[in-house]
Amino acid sequence: MAKNFDVLVIGGGPGGYVGAIRAAQLGFSVACCESNPYADPKGEPRLGGTCLNVGCIPSKALLHTSHLFAEAAHGFAAQGILVDTPKIDVPTMVKRKNTIVGQLTTGIKGLFKKNKVTLLNGHGAFVGQTENGWQVKVGEEVVEAKQVLVATGSRARHLPGVPVDNVRVCDNVGALDIDAVPKKLAIIGAGVIGLEMGSVWSRLGAEVAILEALPDFLGAADTDVAKEAAKVFAKQGLAIELGVSIGEVKTTKKGVSVAYTAKDGAAKQLEADRLIVSIGRVPNTEGLNAETVGLQIDERGRIAVDDHCRTNLPGVWAVGDVVRGPMLAHKAMEEAVMVAELMAGQAGHCNFDTIPWVLYTSPEIAWVGKTEQQLKEEGVAYKVGKIPFAANGRALGVGETTGFVKMLADAATDRILGVHIIGANASELISEGVVAMEFGAASEDLARICHAHPTLSEVVHEAALACDKRPLHF
Ligand code: FAD
Ligand code: NAI
């Protein structure tokens, strides 16, 4: 007889494992199947998806190590700390990263045990509908469930005709396992991965050249932030060329050769030891048997869902990278919790207007809500409070004076519409903006809240005061 569950989750990434845990907490019998493309020393399914195995966590581990290296090489002397020229031991850096990944992926197995979620090893594919649910083939067995949550995530988009071997030509998987600092690193795509991985290897001494198709840099960010970021990254040695059109990519004995047309029409060639292709991601819907059961896929290959992550099939939900919206781990988790609560008849909710974005470059970049250019396009009257970190005592003390906090508030109601930060700890500071916006706060509300002194959070406070043209320290 087929195994039977209240809920079957397909995919064990942030969307899937969080959905499984929340559904189990709400009293459902839950199984989660994972098809495990990541190398596990014991050959067991590895939970955590892209995020834990080949995404958020390993990239941040490498960013941290390379940041410390760059500080030791270029930052310490200014504070009177004299060290010999530091050397990087790349294998140890990568081993540390792998240990962190191992700890976290194993930790999720522990969480599954604690919450009584059954882990099934295998690829999930719909078989058909039953009287009160769905049949899904997992590996060789058929499982039945009243409700199914699809959280199959995404994989790297590759350039047509350019095979990725993850040695010379890498996507995000190989980019996190480069075993020595390349002399010259080429990157195609100046998006989030391109900038984060470019930062890692440039800090460690690689000459990094990034080729970007779009004419504008960081188009999704507020223009002021994008301008400041372009300036800082150029100073750091990231050579970013915009508006290019990529031609033939060849692997050579020495490395990789990329032919491209520059913005001005000139034919150019970029030679490098390694190439990272980071041009976005593709949702994983193949092999789900979506067409057999009539699961609707949208024009961009994603599972079509409504605001509550309901698909067109009764009792089938989908969350995370495989559906519309930003491909971010916290967005996947938020949707998954909402779905589990809706399955249980509760009022699950996900506020898509307050999902923060963070780039873990140096300085970090983070934002929530609308950009100034969006407000202009929408014809919304707004006011701006913008304060540089250079005006903050703590920023001076820790030597992190680059960047600013920019707050946008509605001119009529004073409600905060967007917060944009480029500066140290932006990833943590943005939470104040998220909380404020989630509660519908006005800039005046933040201006009246006591912020600890001396902290970088005072820059957020001052930006709120500046919305009313009354900053105290600038
Ligand atoms: P995934 O994490 O992709 O998980 C899907 C899982 O489903 C996978 O384990 C896959 O093996 C499994 N699967 C697929 N099909 C099947 C099937 N048919 N049957 C069984 N299992 C299946 N986001 C952030 O918010 N912050 C960051 O700092 C960040 N950094 C990133 C850095 C990099 C280099 C990359 C590549 C991504 C990063 N992301 C980051 C994005 C983040 O990793 C994704 O948004 C997140 O992992 C999406 O979660 P998910 O559960 O939807 O999908
Ligand atoms: P991306 O969408 O961030 O950037 C891709 C870039 O490649 C874009 O600027 C695009 O214009 C460019 N591009 C596309 N095709 C091209 C071509 N043929 N030639 C040259 N340039 C081209 O995608 P990326 O960096 O691959 O990351 C994928 C996703 O992973 C991100 O969108 C994000 O959702 C997630 N991510 C999140 C992180 C975070 O939250 N800190 C870190 C890394 C990834």
Side-chain angles (χ1 to χ4, degrees):
M1 215 176 83
K3 281 184 185 159
N4 215 302
F5 297 92
D6 292 330
V7 177
L8 173 67
V9 179
I10 305 180
Y17 82 75
V18 167
I21 290 172
R22 186 70 189 120
Q25 285 174 346
L26 290 164
F28 291 115
S29 65
V30 183
C32 174
C33 69
E34 169 55 59
S35 58
N36 189 25
Y38 313 111
D40 181 86
K42 292 185 205 144
E44 291 179 3
R46 282 196 118 179
L47 293 166
T50 304
C51 170
L52 261 55
N53 291 284
V54 288
C56 326
I57 298 297
S59 58
K60 267 80 245 180
L62 299 186
L63 278 157
H64 180 70
T65 304
S66 60
H67 180 67
L68 292 183
F69 179 83
E71 280 297 289
H74 312 295
F76 279 9
Q79 295 189 43
I81 306 170
L82 303 180
V83 290
D84 289 340
T85 309
K87 289 192 200 121
I88 185 72
D89 172 1
V90 175
T92 300
M93 173 179 80
V94 172
K95 195 169 151 210
R96 172 183 176 271
K97 178 265 294 178
N98 290 341
T99 305
I100 296 166
V101 169
Q103 274 170 350
L104 288 171
T105 53
T106 311
I108 296 176
K109 278 195 189 158
L111 292 175
F112 270 17
K113 263 200 192 127
K114 181 181 159 201
N115 289 283
K116 299 190 177 52
V117 174
T118 304
L119 173 58
L120 304 172
N121 185 1
H123 182 92
F126 282 98
V127 175
Q129 198 167 6
T130 63
E131 225 168 79
N132 58 13
W134 296 91
Q135 279 193 328
V136 175
K137 198 168 176 215
V138 178
E140 290 312 309
E141 66 179 335
V142 173
V143 175
E144 287 185 1
K146 292 191 188 84
Q147 309 206 59
V148 178
L149 171 58
V150 184
T152 48
S154 66
R155 60 185 185 282
R157 169 175 289 125
H158 291 168
L159 282 164
V162 182
V164 167
D165 61 5
N166 274 326
V167 181
R168 292 253 166 88
V169 181
C170 300
D171 59 17
N172 63 297
V173 177
L176 294 160
D177 271 332
I178 293 178
D179 55 4
V181 181
K183 215 163 158 247
K184 186 145 188 186
L185 174 67
I187 299 179
I188 301 181
V192 202
I193 295 180
L195 292 172
E196 289 189 354
M197 295 318 296
S199 296
V200 167
W201 295 106
S202 131
R203 289 169 192 169
L204 298 179
E207 195 185 320
V208 177
I210 310 183
L211 301 176
E212 165 61 47
L214 292 178
D216 297 319
F217 179 60
L218 269 186
D222 187 272
T223 317
D224 277 352
V225 170
K227 268 191 206 146
E228 176 79 1
K231 249 187 349 205
V232 179
F233 295 151
K235 243 186 179 171
Q236 289 171 359
L238 291 181
I240 303 170
E241 208 173 324
L242 302 172
V244 310
S245 170
I246 303 293
E248 196 181 1
V249 177
K250 279 195 290 197
T251 47
T252 61
K253 261 194 191 153
K254 279 189 173 166
V256 186
S257 163
V258 181
Y260 66 98
T261 310
K263 204 178 188 172
D264 62 4
K268 288 190 174 177
Q269 197 85 22
L270 177 64
E271 312 284 342
D273 307 316
R274 305 246 193 179
L275 169 69
I276 297 175
V277 179
S278 48
I279 55 167
R281 297 184 64 80
V282 189
N284 288 327
T285 54
E286 288 81 11
L288 268 177
N289 259 351
E291 44 318 314
T292 310
V293 287
L295 179 63
Q296 199 184 328
I297 306 291
D298 72 16
E299 68 295 343
R300 289 172 61 183
R302 306 167 299 193
I303 296 177
V305 289
D306 66 11
D307 281 355
H308 288 118
C309 294
R310 285 190 177 90
T311 70
N312 63 314
L313 302 179
V316 179
W317 313 70
V319 298
D321 283 9
V322 77
V323 304
R324 47 80 198 111
M327 288 183 166
L328 296 172
H330 42 280
K331 176 260 193 185
M333 295 192 246
E334 209 50 32
E335 286 180 327
V337 168
M338 167 181 74
V339 166
E341 294 178 353
L342 290 170
M343 283 175 175
Q346 297 185 358
H349 172 71
C350 181
N351 185 354
F352 294 100
D353 293 335
T354 55
I355 292 171
W357 270 92
V358 179
L359 272 72
Y360 295 80
T361 45
S362 182
E364 292 181 344
I365 295 170
W367 71 85
V368 58
K370 303 271 170 143
T371 60
E372 193 168 350
Q373 60 269 27
Q374 279 173 326
L375 294 178
K376 275 188 186 145
E377 274 164 27
E378 291 169 16
V380 178
Y382 60 91
K383 47 191 181 170
V384 184
K386 188 174 161 190
I387 301 290
F389 280 95
N392 174 269
R394 184 72 192 281
L396 287 166
V398 297
E400 295 281 5
T401 50
T402 305
F404 54 82
V405 175
K406 174 174 170 180
M407 194 173 290
L408 301 166
D410 190 290
T413 65
D414 192 29
R415 202 176 161 134
I416 299 169
L417 302 173
V419 179
H420 304 270
I421 306 177
I422 175 165
N425 291 8
S427 57
E428 307 289 344
L429 294 173
I430 197 63
S431 287
E432 182 169 2
V434 176
V435 172
M437 286 185 62
E438 187 64 43
F439 285 92
S443 75
E444 178 70 12
D445 295 321
L446 280 196
R448 290 190 178 279
I449 289 173
C450 180
H451 288 67
H453 174 77
T455 61
L456 299 178
S457 74
E458 288 173 293
V459 186
V460 179
H461 187 216
E462 291 282 335
L465 287 161
C467 282
D468 195 31
K469 297 197 171 38
R470 54 184 178 101
L472 293 164
H473 296 89
F474 185 68

